[in-house]
Amino acid sequence: MSETVTETGPRYDFRAAEPRWQTAWAERGCFHVPDLPADSRPKYYVLEMFPYPSGKIHMGHVRNYTLGDVVARYKRARGYSVLHPMGWDAFGLPAENAARERGIHPAKWTWENIATMRAELQRMGLSLDWHRELATCDPAYYGHQQKLFLDFLRAGLAERKESWVNWDPVDGTVLANEQVIDGRGWRSGALVEKKQLSQWFLRITQYAPDLLSALDRLDRWPERVRLMQEKWIGRSEGARLRFALTQPRSDIADVEVYTTRPDTLYGMSVLALAPEHPLAAAVAARDPKAAAFVAECRRMGTSEAVIEAAEKQGHDTGLRVRHPFLDQTFPVWIANFVLMEYGTGAIFGCPAHDQRDLDFARKYGLRVVPVVLPPGADPAHYTVADEAYVGPGTIFNSGFMDALDVEAAKRRAIEELERLGIGRGEVNWRLRDWGVSRQRYWGCPIPVIHCADCGVVPVPDQHLPVTLPEDVNFDRPGNPLDHHPTWKHVTCPRCGKPAQRETDTFDTFVDSSWYFARFCSPHANQPVARQPVDHWMPVDQYIGGIEHAILHLLYSRFFMRAMKATGHVAIEEPFAGLFTQGMVTHESYRTAPGPNGTWLYPDQVAKQPDGTVTHRGTGDPVTVGRVEAMSKSRRNTVDPEAIIARYGADTARWFILSDNPPERDMEWTEAGVAGAYRFTQRVFRLAEGLDGSAPGAMPESFGDDSRGLR
RNA sequence: GCCGGUGUGGCGGAAUGGUAGACGCGGCGGACUCAAAAUCCGCUUGUGGUGACACAGUGGAGGUUCGAGUCCUCUCACCGGUACCA
């Protein structure tokens, strides 16, 4: 990495050419387009996912913005009027972490990062319209977001309800899933608990059917993204039914269950409740052992990945329910793998035909009765051992459903439940409403006021934006907005009595769910100006990482629909074309194998002629690890600034484009960059060999010297 | 756990079910040069063989087929997501 690139002879001097052209583009406003173009060229809107200002540009950004820039320049060359803007996804947790760890104000930290990264992007030679730059932490942006929220609230698209958060009992703080490590708070080390809070939700589930069916029309989206969204929305057909308790309590007489397999009701062994289920809470109130089990489940936090991967555990409540068809009763358990958020928070377990139920039944010695006979199996001898049978077959051991196939039996079971008046067929969705409340400072304030007499009162439009106070400190845990001496104390806009501001801020996914629309009229004094947004939207080509396949893209699709419903836009789908790029990877290096070795940056190691790798400082041998996504923790990062300084932006961009198909992961290698550098030189020499008018010829207004491109 | 994806030479990657590795990068050898750079030519999956060639080979195990990188079943590894990282 240290050897300098030296050559004699004719040579493309990128150090002179790149800044000169970049300056010329900026001075001429080459990439600026008006909000409402007067010319008749067709429009093209190309957008890359805007960056979080974490400090410096990384190679993933270089890849993302290079890909978009190629599209933008191509479309411009093809005669389109191209909108290609850039901005900053500027609210978020890392700024607060910096504040707590280093005493830097989140705003200062964020704006300084933006300044650094803007300069880095500009050195990449991207054809961006910088007149449209926006940052989500700017009141000039988030004030309009508050207006959108209030419109959604008036339209019935926002509501308050209870939900569970990760609670650090020592720090007295809500934790993000990322901040829960092995069930403990990452700072305090305290065992995390689930805690219930009243929070704001956006009613994305209202649009579940539409968000699902419209996927078919997104024909310029990758199939795998549409598939992932389809599964995430998760439409299922089944039955909702009530199981009567054998000993009804004064307040609870039965338990509602949602199932996609009413055909297997005769194979039931247990009714299992989520630990957060009201009946589980009622049992726990009187039974210390049940309470202990529920408390144990609460220590798992809210992450589905953690809950579902945990060992299945249950607690027998001692209660029993009557079977809807059989004259039998079954035990009611509390089980750690039943999710309160899906269905009704209670399931009936049929171990023979569901693997999780089978694992649970084997662990606790519950009965396993097969009721679906696989084709060709012998009903007299068929049993289920360690593997649940989930395939098609013929129903048996099931009274009135015997001899039906699975699908017919589902219909028959639902008929019977309806006839008995204890259930009905129901379409269920996996998609949940979008909880947007965060107990954090560095986010957009939720513009409502809580009044003891009037309840929740929206902040009047003329009082927007509700801005964050700047004089906050992070020397104690919790939300600084809540601790602030004066900020939250206001008078009720409705009755004039003392009241309190909402101190929660929005999930940062809200900020990124409409920025693409704001780009069309970034200086408008309303969220979006209709004519520009109608002209430019939808985004013709959106480009970003596959990690956003579900949340960001689904929330944005919802937001467009909500903005249409509230009269802000005319369309429903924000992104007509989507491209998901692969990651940038690199070898990793350690001073020794395994966890004893410290990670080394690529420029700390030297490759020897014999193929071994050594530490540049000490000369000690270095262990070469796997090729992995670049990350700070593994130190396998290459700083784009260093590459651009040494080889030029065109080399970096050429390498990143030429190495492999853009949807795949690419490995960043020194040899590859060197090859790309040689290639740019070869192109220059080739062009130079043509007649003098070709490569370096510049427009008259730039023809100030004979160096540069020549 | 669940959902989605990936897996072919040293590397990026090609291959309507029909000669696996096109093309490129890198590497090696040669030409040119005082020398280098640049350019050009040749070789470059592995093993064995001077060679013609033989055998093996597309993460792994089975299967379908005259024939499988490609189709089917199972399986392994890795990556992304899993609703409060962005």
Side-chain angles (χ1 to χ4, degrees):
Chain A
M1 202 83 190
S2 67
E3 67 273 21
T4 34
V5 176
T6 52
E7 278 171 47
T8 57
R11 173 180 167 201
Y12 169 57
D13 182 7
F14 67 85
R15 287 187 180 87
E18 288 182 357
R20 193 177 61 254
W21 280 104
Q22 287 164 18
T23 304
W25 294 332
E27 285 173 354
R28 283 197 157 186
C30 288
F31 311 125
H32 177 58
V33 285
D35 289 0
L36 259 188
D39 66 62
S40 60
R41 287 181 299 163
K43 73 96 180 179
Y44 194 87
Y45 185 1
V46 56
L47 183 68
E48 304 93 58
M49 292 178 184
F50 66 164
Y52 178 77
S54 56
K56 291 175 71 66
I57 293 294
H58 56 65
M59 279 301 172
H61 294 128
V62 175
R63 196 176 198 198
N64 195 182
Y65 303 137
T66 298
L67 289 167
D69 196 52
V70 166
V71 175
R73 287 175 184 271
Y74 173 74
K75 286 294 178 178
R76 244 179 245 115
R78 297 286 293 179
Y80 287 82
S81 171
V82 173
L83 176 61
H84 187 211
M86 180 56 69
W88 308 97
D89 187 14
F91 276 136
L93 211 41
E96 284 198 31
N97 292 338
R100 290 188 199 278
E101 286 160 15
R102 288 181 271 154
I104 307 170
H105 193 283
K108 179 177 161 62
W109 183 85
T110 301
W111 285 108
E112 285 178 0
N113 287 346
I114 287 174
T116 302
M117 293 170 72
R118 181 193 299 116
E120 291 180 329
L121 285 183
Q122 286 172 343
R123 280 192 285 275
M124 280 181 60
L126 303 169
S127 61
L128 291 165
D129 182 357
W130 283 103
H131 293 86
R132 294 174 183 276
E133 180 181 1
L134 58 79
T136 58
C137 65
D138 187 342
Y141 180 84
Y142 70 70
H144 298 296
Q145 184 165 304
Q146 292 168 339
K147 163 71 171 151
L148 288 176
F149 173 78
L150 293 176
D151 287 349
F152 293 175
L153 184 59
R154 283 185 277 268
L157 291 169
E159 64 176 341
R160 274 176 88 69
K161 50 185 178 182
E162 298 284 304
S163 75
W164 297 87
V165 295
N166 297 310
W167 180 253
D168 183 324
V170 169
D171 270 357
T173 304
V174 176
L175 297 175
N177 284 334
E178 183 186 60
Q179 298 172 318
V180 179
I181 298 172
D182 294 333
R184 293 174 183 273
W186 69 345
R187 266 183 235 290
S188 71
L191 284 170
V192 167
E193 299 167 2
K194 285 194 215 177
K195 185 180 172 181
Q196 202 166 29
L197 295 180
S198 179
Q199 313 216 68
W200 285 102
F201 282 79
L202 294 180
R203 302 181 68 183
I204 189 173
T205 53
Q206 283 196 345
Y207 291 92
D210 185 45
L211 288 166
L212 178 67
S213 62
L215 286 172
D216 288 342
R217 300 191 289 278
L218 293 174
D219 55 350
R220 290 202 296 118
W221 279 41
E223 179 62 24
R224 60 177 167 158
V225 175
R226 289 187 287 164
L227 247 184
M228 279 190 266
Q229 292 213 351
E230 179 188 326
K231 305 279 184 183
W232 183 264
I233 296 166
R235 183 183 191 278
S236 64
E237 291 181 2
R240 177 188 284 256
L241 66 150
R242 288 189 305 277
F243 284 87
L245 288 166
T246 54
Q247 299 165 296
R249 306 163 58 95
S250 57
D251 51 338
I252 303 175
D254 52 35
V255 184
E256 271 208 319
V257 158
Y258 176 79
T259 179
T260 58
R261 295 298 302 272
D263 55 308
T264 64
L265 270 164
Y266 277 85
M268 174 173 184
S269 299
V270 63
L271 188 145
L273 305 170
E276 298 82 17
H277 194 280
L279 182 56
V283 171
R286 293 194 312 194
D287 174 357
K289 282 188 180 169
F293 181 75
V294 169
E296 177 69 29
C297 292
R298 283 194 182 166
R299 277 203 279 279
M300 273 202 295
T302 61
S303 157
E304 190 198 306
V306 171
I307 293 168
E308 291 270 7
E311 191 191 346
K312 284 153 196 58
Q313 292 189 354
H315 174 84
D316 188 350
T317 63
L319 300 174
R320 295 187 78 84
V321 288
R322 290 187 212 292
H323 192 278
F325 305 142
L326 284 164
D327 187 20
Q328 286 183 35
T329 66
F330 290 95
V332 176
W333 287 57
I334 304 168
N336 65 351
F337 60 89
V338 180
L339 302 175
M340 192 62 213
E341 290 82 10
Y342 184 77
T344 61
I347 61 164
F348 86 84
C350 174
H353 305 293
D354 182 286
Q355 192 60 45
R356 284 193 318 186
D357 296 348
L358 182 61
D359 295 343
F360 191 74
R362 292 295 181 214
K363 176 163 180 173
Y364 292 106
L366 304 171
R367 71 170 201 164
V368 179
V369 178
V371 291
V372 180
L373 189 67
D378 174 2
H381 299 101
Y382 180 68
T383 58
V384 166
D386 295 329
E387 201 170 321
Y389 180 72
V390 296
T394 309
I395 304 296
F396 72 131
N397 292 337
S398 294
F400 65 90
M401 287 188 278
D402 278 354
L404 295 174
D405 66 36
V406 165
E407 291 309 313
K410 285 178 181 174
R411 291 191 294 272
R412 182 70 186 86
I414 289 169
E415 281 171 23
E416 189 64 13
L417 290 169
E418 289 175 348
R419 191 185 66 78
L420 294 170
I422 55 172
R424 57 190 152 81
E426 187 175 276
V427 171
N428 193 45
W429 303 83
R430 208 186 76 94
L431 184 66
R432 308 201 295 259
D433 276 334
W434 176 13
V436 294
S437 294
R438 298 291 181 271
Q439 295 69 44
R440 305 245 169 76
Y441 166 74
W442 195 233
C444 170
I446 298 176
V448 298
I449 288 164
H450 298 278
C451 172
D453 291 344
C454 309
V456 171
V457 181
V459 171
D461 284 358
Q462 65 269 24
H463 292 175
L464 298 182
V466 176
T467 56
L468 290 169
E470 287 172 25
D471 54 331
V472 286
N473 60 66
F474 292 86
D475 47 17
R476 64 170 162 145
N479 182 357
L481 290 180
D482 201 27
H483 304 152
H484 193 278
T486 58
W487 186 77
K488 69 179 174 185
H489 301 292
V490 291
T491 55
C492 172
R494 197 163 290 163
C495 68
K497 288 185 192 157
Q500 291 201 333
R501 278 195 195 290
E502 171 72 65
T503 58
D504 285 354
T505 50
F506 282 121
D507 176 10
T508 56
F509 274 124
V510 177
D511 311 338
S512 56
S513 290
W514 71 285
Y515 76 105
F516 39 86
R518 180 71 186 167
F519 270 139
C520 301
S521 55
H523 309 294
N525 58 10
Q526 55 196 298
V528 295
R530 271 311 287 265
Q531 284 186 308
V533 83
D534 287 348
H535 174 77
W536 289 108
M537 287 294 288
V539 175
D540 294 279
Q541 184 64 60
Y542 197 38
I543 306 172
I546 187 71
E547 69 272 18
H548 292 297
I550 296 174
L551 294 181
H552 164 59
L553 291 168
L554 192 60
Y555 290 149
S556 298
R557 295 180 63 218
F558 159 70
F559 234 80
M560 268 287 111
R561 285 162 169 79
M563 286 175 73
K564 185 184 179 193
T566 50
H568 291 279
V569 298
I571 60 169
E572 295 174 339
E573 287 296 339
F575 312 119
L578 174 69
F579 185 87
T580 55
Q581 63 182 54
M583 290 181 305
V584 183
T585 64
H586 197 283
E587 275 183 342
S588 53
Y589 308 101
R590 283 186 166 192
T591 53
N596 293 331
T598 1
W599 297 106
L600 295 170
Y601 286 104
D603 54 10
Q604 289 179 288
V605 307
K607 300 212 169 177
Q608 303 302 331
D610 64 358
T612 60
V613 178
T614 56
H615 191 286
R616 221 172 252 290
T618 64
D620 292 339
V622 165
T623 304
V624 178
R626 292 213 330 251
V627 174
E628 298 181 83
M630 287 188 180
S631 82
K632 280 183 189 167
S633 62
R634 279 186 294 267
R635 299 193 169 179
N636 61 339
T637 56
V638 173
D639 181 8
E641 276 289 278
I643 297 296
I644 289 171
R646 180 151 175 248
Y647 295 102
D650 285 333
T651 294
R653 289 161 51 123
W654 180 255
F655 174 48
I656 230 161
L657 289 169
S658 65
D659 190 57
N660 70 347
E663 69 276 11
R664 297 267 206 112
D665 289 353
M666 73 164 289
E667 186 187 351
W668 187 274
T669 61
E670 192 61 23
V673 188
Y677 179 79
R678 282 195 290 275
F679 183 83
T680 59
Q681 298 294 336
R682 203 177 301 163
V683 169
F684 177 72
R685 275 190 302 270
L686 177 69
E688 198 184 40
L690 303 174
D691 106 36
S693 68
M698 299 212 231
E700 285 297 307
S701 54
F702 301 132
D704 56 339
D705 64 43
S706 57
R707 281 175 51 241
L709 274 178
R710 291 198 62 96

